[in-house]
Amino acid sequence: MAIRIRIGDYERVTDDALDRHSVGYFPRMTESEAWEAGRGVWRLDLRMVRRERYALIVGEGRVRAIAEISDVTVHGTDRGRKKALWGTLLTAGHPIYDHYVNQIDPLRNDSRNSVAYGDLPEEVRLRARHCACGCGQPTEQNFVPGHALRAIQARIREHFGGSALSFLAWLDNELPAEEPQAEVFTADRART
């Protein structure tokens, strides 16, 4: 699944949550500039974003940049919470990039909403991967359901003699004390 963000015309901004000086599309902008202009901040449904793998930034009806989403950050107050995407720009040679960059918006619709969600046919073959637990089963997520716990339990058996208590003591010792931070959603966490 992909999220399409349609950006408007170029404009200067102040007090931007992402410290940008401008947003929007202008002719001859680079893909990096298009990504920066379009990746945030938007009223996004986190339930939907968690399912998305790619973000398409569209300007003047054409795809100007595509990124693989890695994180989503939340900005603003409870009533005005908006989200920004983080990710890695795709480049030539990637099948999604090669098929969509500089092409007409594949998720265009009659809605005035800048954000749309949908399937890209080229994603189907990219979705299947092997389960990260090492079992070899194909999955569209990082783990086959239930296998994340299986992988954790295997590591506890291998490195801590099967003692969950020893593992937790080690983990508590290794992790630095955390200070409160902005709420951050990691896309990889949602795909487990």
Side-chain angles (χ1 to χ4, degrees), residues 84-104:
L85 302 175
W86 293 84
T88 305
L89 279 173
L90 300 184
T91 58
H94 190 286
I96 301 293
Y97 177 95
D98 292 344
H99 193 81
Y100 291 107
V101 165
N102 294 319
Q103 300 302 311
I104 293 175

Side-chain angles (χ1 to χ4, degrees), residues 46-62:
L46 275 180
R47 291 172 298 165
M48 295 294 289
V49 174
R50 287 179 177 146
R51 292 184 273 191
E52 310 308 331
R53 184 168 179 189
Y54 300 104
L56 283 68
I57 306 300
V58 172
E60 290 188 344
R62 294 194 174 270

Side-chain angles (χ1 to χ4, degrees), residues 68-144:
E68 186 164 6
I69 300 168
S70 59
D71 294 324
V72 178
T73 54
V74 179
H75 304 268
T77 63
D78 287 339
R79 293 182 57 78
R81 295 173 74 98
K82 293 184 177 181
K83 289 86 176 177
L85 302 175
W86 293 84
T88 305
L89 279 173
L90 300 184
T91 58
H94 190 286
I96 301 293
Y97 177 95
D98 292 344
H99 193 81
Y100 291 107
V101 165
N102 294 319
Q103 300 302 311
I104 293 175
D105 177 1
L107 300 177
R108 70 180 181 267
N109 55 34
D110 293 331
S111 171
R112 292 181 58 190
N113 193 341
S114 296
V115 177
Y117 304 91
D119 286 320
L120 301 175
E122 292 72 23
E123 284 184 281
V124 173
R125 68 183 186 89
L126 299 174
R127 285 186 190 141
R129 55 182 161 237
H130 295 290
C131 180
C133 82
C135 71
Q137 290 185 38
T139 181
E140 290 184 12
Q141 302 175 7
N142 288 331
F143 293 96
V144 169

Side-chain angles (χ1 to χ4, degrees), residues 129-186:
R129 55 182 161 237
H130 295 290
C131 180
C133 82
C135 71
Q137 290 185 38
T139 181
E140 290 184 12
Q141 302 175 7
N142 288 331
F143 293 96
V144 169
H147 286 213
L149 181 58
R150 177 190 289 185
I152 292 167
Q153 290 170 336
R155 277 22 171 234
I156 290 172
R157 279 192 302 277
E158 181 180 343
H159 299 289
F160 299 93
S163 171
L165 184 58
S166 294
F167 166 71
L168 292 173
W170 172 82
L171 187 62
D172 289 342
N173 222 16
E174 290 294 313
L175 293 176
E178 288 190 30
E179 294 181 26
Q181 302 179 25
E183 182 180 337
V184 175
F185 164 74
T186 303

